[in-house]
Amino acid sequence: MIRSTNLGYPRIGARRELKRALEAHWAGELTAAALGGVADELVSAGLATQRQAGIDIIPVNDFSLYDHVLDATALLGAVPDRFHWDAQAAQVDLSTYFAMARGVQRPGLDAPALEMTKWFDTNYHYLVPEFVADQRLRLASDKPLRALAAGQAAGVEARVVLLGPLSYLLLGKAKVDGLDPLGHHLDAVLEVYAEVVRQLSRQGARWIQFDEPCLVQDRTPPELAALRQSYAALDRARGGDTRFVVATYFGDVDAAYEALTGLPVEGIALDFVRGARNLAKVRAAWPRGKTLIAGVVDGRNVWISDLRARLHLLEELTGTVGPDHLQVAPSCSLLHVPMDLKLERGLDAEVRPWLAFARQKLDEVVVLTRALNEGAGAVAKALDGNQEAMERRRASHRLHDPAVAERVTSLRPRDFERRNPYGVRRAAQAQRLGLPPLPTTTIGSFPQTAEVRQLRQQWRSEELSDAAYTEAVEAEIRRTVGIQEEIGLDMLVHGEFERNDMVEYFGEQLDGFLFTRHGWVQSYGSRYVKPPILYGTVRRPSPMTVRWSAFAQGCSRRPVKGMLTGPVTILQWSFVRDDQSRERTCQEIALAIRDEVCDLERAGIAAIQIDEPALREGLPLRKREWAEYLRWATAAFRLSAAGVEDRTQIHTHMCYGEFADIIDAISSLDADVISIENARSGAELLRVFREHGYDKGIGPGVYDIHSPRVPSVGEMAGLLRDTLAVLQAEHVWVNPDCGLKTRGWPETTAALRNMVAAAQAVRAELG
Ligand code: GLN
Ligand code: ZN
C-alpha cells in the first residue's frame, strides 16, 4: 500500500491569524496563554485540513511561533548569554524566545536579536544559531512532545518534524574564531536530540522526521561522517516502534546519497522536482526495505503538477522500491507557497486553473497516491481535469507572444554590450554631468510617510482621481528634489513615492504578471510577502516610470537619476513560470526594462539606476552551478542596460557587502557606478574590489540606514578616508547603504547633511 504524506504545512493561518496574534502579544495586548490558544487552533486546523484532504501521514511540530531553527535553538537550550536566560529554568520561556528573535531593550537588558539569514535559496529567513566554546546544552523545550500529543489527540498518524542535528550545526555560526561547531558540539547536540527521541518514543511516536536539507549542498567527508555518527547515536536512543525519516529537499543529494541511504533509518525523503539527478541515484541503487518519500509535487512554486507525468515517475519508483516502501509527498514543506487558492476572488479566469497552492497540492498528492493504489480509473476525473488544464496552459497565447519570442531569438551579442568601453563612456559622462570629485547621491527612496502611503491607498480605492493623485505625488517629488538641492547633493532622485514594493510596482505595469489578494508566504517571523505570479510572456505595454522621472528632472538643473528594478530581482522575488527556463524569462523581463531605460534616456534622464539587490540570492545551492547562473543573470542585466548612449550613466545597487566570490560577475555587469552596503563592513570589503582591479564608479555606503541613528560628519569622513586608502578617488561616490524609505524625515535630512559635509571635507583634502 502506497501512502500519502506531507513534509510541512503553512503556519500563518488562512487569514494571517498568527501575524495578528503575535503582534498583539508583542504590543502587550494578548497574553502568552491567549497566543498559545491561537497557535493551538492553527495547528489543529492544519491537521484537520490535511486529514480531510486524505493525507495518511501528517507532519507535526512543523508549526512554529516564529521560526523552526529558533525552535531547535530553544530545544537545545542554546540561548546566548546576552539574553540572561535562567539556565536553571526547565524551559526556554516565551519572552526569552521572542527576545532571541527580535532583540530586547529594557532596563537591565539590552541584547540584539540573533542574526537572520536566508533559509537555503528560499525567501524564508531563519535565526542563526550562535556557538561559543563552552556551550552548555540541555533539553529545554517540550514543544515536540506537545506537538505529538496534539497529533495523537486529533487521531492522525503523526510524524514529528525536527531540524536534523547536522543541519542545525551547519546552519549556525561560531561566535569565537577558530571554533568548529561540528567538531566541538556534535556530541552535546546529539545528547539532547537523543533525549528528545527517547521521550518521543516513550510517548508513542511512530515517526520522527529529521530535516537535513544541508545535504543538497556541497558537503565534505568529515561532514558526512558526522551525519553517520548522528543517526547511529539517535538510533540507539529510540524505542522499537519509532521509525525515522531523514528528509532532504531543495535539490540533489549527489555525493551524499551513499551516506544517506546507508543510515540506520527507515525512510528517506528525496526531492524529484528540483533534484533532477536524484532519480538516477535511486535507479542505480536503492537500499532494500527502506521507504522512499518521493517529493513529486513542487513545494516551491504555485503551478499545478503534470499529474500524468508524475504518475509515470511514481510507477517507476514503485517498481524500484516496492509498493510497501513508497510514500507520495510534496518536494518540501509547503511553507513556501500560499495557503489556499480558494481564498482568491477575481483571479484571472484563464490562469486560475493552472495554479495550485498548499491546499491544492495536498489534493495532488492524494490523487497520485490513489491512482497508484487503485488504478488511474479511480481518479479519472481528477486526472482528466488536470490534463485539460495542462493542455490549455501549454496552448495559451499568453505564454507565447510571437513578437517577444522573435525579439529574444534575434538577440545578438552586441545587444548585451554598451557601445564603447568604460573609459570612453566615462569621459562622455563626465562632460555631460559635470560632477565634482566624490559626488554625493542616495539610493533612490525617501521616507514613505503615513501620508504617502495613504495617498497611494486612496488612489487605488478610487477615492482619489488620477489627476489628484498625480498632482499629490508630483508635489512630494518637487519638495524632495528641493530638499536634496538645499542639502547640496550632487545627483538627485525623485524619491519613489509612487511605489511601495518595487517588484509589485513593475509587475503591475507589465504583461505576464498576476497578483493575489491572500497569497501570503512567510518571509520571517510575523513578516509575510505576497510574491507576484509571473505566468506568461513579459511585455511592457507602456512606459512605467518616465513621467515621474521626467517631472523630477524638470524640477532641477542637477541630474536626477532614473530608478528601476533589475530583471534578476524581479525574477527572483516572483513565483516564476516553470514551462520555460528562468534564463529565458529573465531575458523577457530584461527587454521590458531595456525599453524603459531607453525611454528614460529619450526623456533627457542622464543617469539611470537599475537595482539588483537579489542578484546574489539567486546563486544556486551547489557551487558548480554558480557560473551558469551568473552567466545568464549578468547577461540579463547588461541586456537591460546596454541600449543607451555612452553619455548616459548606468548605476546599479546591491544591498549587501558580500562580493568576494562574485566579484567577476559584478564587474561583468559593466555598470558605470555601483552602490553597495558597506557602513558596517569597512575597508575589508573594498579590498576585494581593489584586488580585482575594479576600475568603475563605486559608492560604498557611508551610513547604515537600518537604524534611525544620525552618524556624525567626522564618522562618515573617517569612513571615506578609509575608502580612499583602498580605492582611487576618481572612482568613489558617496551615498548611504540603501534606500531611505523606512526612515523618518528628520533623521534622513540630518544624516544626509552630515554626509554632504563629510564629502566636502574629504574633497578639500584631495587637493
Ligand atoms: N532604489 C531602491 C530604494 O532606494 C533600492 C531598494 C533595495 O535595494 N532593496 O528603495
Ligand atoms: Zn539596498
Side-chain angles (χ1 to χ4, degrees):
M1 183 79 159
I2 292 160
R3 312 196 66 200
S4 57
T5 190
N6 184 20
L7 302 184
Y9 204 63
R11 309 153 174 167
I12 62 184
R15 305 272 168 206
R16 289 183 288 160
E17 290 88 342
L18 183 57
K19 178 188 182 69
R20 272 190 231 121
L22 282 171
E23 287 172 356
H25 175 68
W26 296 332
E29 292 153 11
L30 192 75
T31 63
L35 174 62
V38 173
D40 290 344
E41 275 170 36
L42 290 172
V43 167
S44 58
L47 290 177
T49 301
Q50 293 174 83
R51 187 181 46 197
Q52 280 154 18
I55 300 290
D56 298 322
I57 304 172
I58 298 178
V60 298
N61 198 41
D62 54 329
F63 178 85
S64 175
L65 278 175
Y66 201 96
D67 164 38
H68 52 269
V69 182
L70 183 64
D71 290 352
T73 293
L75 186 73
L76 292 157
V79 181
D81 288 344
R82 66 178 180 280
F83 297 103
H84 296 189
W85 175 56
D86 172 9
Q88 305 304 313
Q91 303 247 353
V92 172
D93 55 285
L94 205 57
S95 78
T96 302
Y97 179 86
F98 287 134
M100 288 193 285
R102 311 172 65 229
V104 266
Q105 207 160 27
R106 62 167 187 254
L109 187 57
D110 185 354
L114 299 185
E115 195 185 306
M116 193 165 69
T117 195
K118 282 171 92 56
W119 174 248
F120 299 86
D121 60 352
T122 72
N123 242 324
Y124 176 89
H125 300 73
Y126 72 92
L127 291 158
V128 181
E130 295 180 8
F131 299 114
V132 292
D134 57 344
Q135 195 108 29
R136 296 244 300 279
L137 301 176
R138 67 181 173 80
L139 180 55
S141 161
D142 61 359
K143 177 174 173 274
L145 295 168
R146 283 186 288 114
L148 174 60
Q152 289 166 329
V156 304
E157 182 166 346
R159 193 162 60 219
V160 183
V161 181
L162 297 172
L163 177 58
L166 180 69
S167 291
Y168 180 76
L169 282 161
L170 290 171
L171 288 167
K173 219 171 165 175
K175 284 281 140 178
V176 279
D177 282 345
L179 177 83
D180 162 30
L182 203 54
H184 275 77
H185 297 318
L186 181 61
D187 289 333
V189 165
L190 289 178
E191 250 174 65
V192 180
Y193 269 85
E195 183 55 28
V196 180
V197 165
R198 264 191 292 276
Q199 296 193 9
L200 286 169
S201 266
R202 224 176 288 139
Q203 201 182 300
R206 293 171 64 187
W207 294 94
I208 303 177
Q209 168 184 323
F210 298 94
D211 283 0
E212 294 286 13
C214 71
L215 295 177
V216 308
Q217 293 168 305
D218 302 328
R219 295 275 72 103
T220 63
E223 288 164 351
L224 293 179
L227 177 76
R228 288 192 203 93
Q229 184 193 335
S230 298
Y231 289 92
L234 298 183
D235 181 35
R236 287 192 293 274
R238 63 171 153 168
D241 294 336
T242 304
R243 281 162 290 174
F244 284 173
V245 169
V246 174
T248 69
Y249 38 81
F250 301 155
D252 292 288
V253 299
D254 289 342
Y257 185 77
E258 253 178 52
L260 181 63
T261 49
L263 297 177
V265 302
E266 286 68 27
I268 290 163
L270 296 177
D271 182 338
F272 290 97
V273 177
R274 300 176 102 225
R277 296 181 294 271
N278 278 336
L279 178 59
K281 290 280 188 192
V282 173
R283 272 185 191 148
W286 180 255
R288 193 203 273 266
K290 278 204 203 308
T291 293
L292 172 63
I293 291 101
V296 294
V297 168
D298 193 349
R300 289 287 297 275
N301 214 332
V302 293
W303 312 106
I304 54 170
S305 306
D306 182 344
L307 292 181
R308 296 221 186 248
R310 300 278 94 185
L311 195 53
H312 207 72
L313 166 68
L314 287 165
E315 278 160 359
E316 184 192 337
L317 291 172
T318 311
T320 309
V321 309
D324 292 332
H325 296 291
L326 188 73
Q327 294 177 10
V328 181
S331 61
C332 60
S333 166
L334 297 174
L335 177 68
H336 308 290
V337 291
M339 257 335 241
D340 192 351
L341 188 60
K342 291 216 185 71
L343 298 171
E344 298 296 329
R345 300 264 167 276
L347 265 192
D348 184 300
E350 186 187 357
V351 179
R352 188 183 179 104
W354 311 343
L355 296 171
F357 294 174
R359 178 63 191 79
Q360 288 67 43
K361 286 174 189 286
L362 298 177
D363 289 339
E364 293 193 343
V365 167
V366 170
V367 166
L368 288 167
T369 311
R370 284 193 60 195
L372 291 168
N373 285 326
E374 302 165 35
V379 284
K381 215 171 132 218
L383 290 178
D384 291 346
N386 170 266
Q387 189 90 336
E388 195 188 313
M390 289 301 296
E391 269 157 27
R392 289 212 177 153
R393 181 179 173 207
R394 271 184 215 116
S396 170
H397 69 273
R398 291 163 80 185
L399 271 63
H400 311 282
D401 183 299
V404 173
E406 157 68 20
R407 225 180 140 188
V408 171
T409 43
S410 55
L411 286 172
R412 285 150 306 172
R414 69 156 209 248
D415 295 320
F416 295 83
E417 305 293 337
R418 295 286 295 270
R419 284 163 214 183
N420 280 295
Y422 175 69
V424 177
R425 300 187 324 245
R426 179 185 163 80
Q429 292 162 19
Q431 201 187 5
R432 179 180 187 186
L433 293 168
L435 297 169
L438 306 179
T440 53
T441 190
T442 64
I443 306 305
S445 57
F446 267 82
Q448 293 254 332
T449 56
E451 295 80 67
V452 167
R453 271 178 272 139
Q454 199 186 352
L455 209 60
R456 277 197 311 261
Q457 226 156 41
Q458 286 176 334
W459 175 60
R460 276 175 176 265
S461 61
E462 287 171 24
E463 269 169 71
L464 210 61
S465 69
D466 288 356
Y469 174 71
T470 303
E471 202 178 302
V473 173
E474 286 179 352
E476 276 299 309
I477 293 175
R478 191 183 306 113
R479 197 173 69 84
T480 305
V481 167
I483 291 171
Q484 294 173 82
E485 282 188 333
E486 192 261 319
I487 290 173
L489 288 155
D490 301 307
M491 183 171 281
L492 316 187
V493 296
H494 76 286
E496 301 183 23
F497 303 110
E498 75 288 3
R499 36 189 118 149
N500 165 26
D501 181 274
M502 48 204 259
V503 173
E504 182 177 55
Y505 180 76
F506 289 97
E508 281 183 339
Q509 299 187 71
L510 292 166
D511 290 344
F513 287 83
L514 191 90
F515 291 83
T516 62
R517 289 221 193 155
H518 305 282
W520 297 101
V521 176
Q522 190 176 18
S523 173
Y524 67 90
S526 65
R527 291 298 195 95
Y528 313 150
V529 293
K530 204 152 46 94
I533 295 174
L534 197 176
Y535 68 87
T537 306
V538 178
R539 256 175 23 99
R540 188 194 70 141
S542 46
M544 304 181 283
T545 64
V546 175
R547 62 171 171 156
W548 306 121
S549 285
F551 176 83
Q553 188 59 80
C555 297
S556 180
R557 302 182 109 107
R558 301 191 189 187
V560 179
K561 264 192 287 191
M563 200 53 65
L564 305 173
T565 300
V568 183
T569 297
I570 293 178
L571 184 85
Q572 200 57 32
W573 290 350
S574 304
F575 286 116
V576 178
R577 60 189 287 189
D578 59 353
D579 61 322
Q580 67 179 23
S581 69
R582 288 172 75 82
E583 170 178 10
R584 163 62 192 262
T585 305
C586 200
Q587 281 177 336
E588 293 177 10
I589 308 171
L591 285 170
I593 300 294
R594 180 186 179 99
D595 293 345
E596 185 74 13
V597 167
C598 293
D599 280 345
L600 284 168
E601 177 179 64
R602 226 165 285 137
I605 305 298
I608 300 161
Q609 180 172 311
I610 307 170
D611 292 322
E612 285 289 20
L615 181 79
R616 194 173 208 295
E617 65 187 53
L619 283 172
L621 294 172
R622 295 267 180 203
K623 261 246 159 84
R624 67 160 186 258
E625 290 161 14
W626 281 25
E628 170 62 7
Y629 162 74
L630 289 169
R631 178 193 63 70
W632 64 254
T634 55
F637 178 90
R638 289 197 309 275
L639 178 61
S640 72
V644 294
E645 291 170 25
D646 291 345
R647 62 191 210 118
T648 298
Q649 189 167 64
I650 297 290
H651 291 233
T652 189
H653 164 69
M654 285 162 205
C655 20
Y656 44 83
E658 283 171 276
F659 292 99
D661 47 4
I662 56 165
I663 186 73
D664 290 331
I666 298 300
S667 182
S668 78
L669 297 176
D670 200 25
D672 298 304
V673 182
I674 178 172
S675 58
I676 57 173
E677 175 173 313
N678 193 54
R680 287 178 295 184
S681 344
E684 209 42 55
L685 155 65
L686 301 178
R687 242 166 243 133
V688 172
F689 284 84
R690 186 185 60 187
E691 274 156 25
H692 175 274
Y694 196 87
D695 63 350
K696 288 165 272 212
I698 172 168
V702 290
Y703 84 87
D704 178 11
I705 56 87
H706 298 96
S707 119
R709 200 175 150 263
V710 175
S712 69
V713 178
E715 190 178 329
M716 286 189 274
L719 270 173
L720 257 176
R721 289 189 196 100
D722 293 348
T723 298
L724 295 177
V726 184
L727 300 176
Q728 280 175 306
E730 60 179 33
H731 297 137
V732 175
W733 285 65
V734 183
N735 47 255
D737 266 350
C738 193
L740 298 161
K741 72 175 174 194
T742 57
R743 295 272 61 90
W745 272 104
E747 76 244 24
T748 294
T749 49
L752 290 177
R753 259 182 235 291
N754 288 356
M755 185 183 90
V756 168
Q760 281 161 352
V762 179
R763 226 174 254 163
E765 296 162 14
L766 290 177

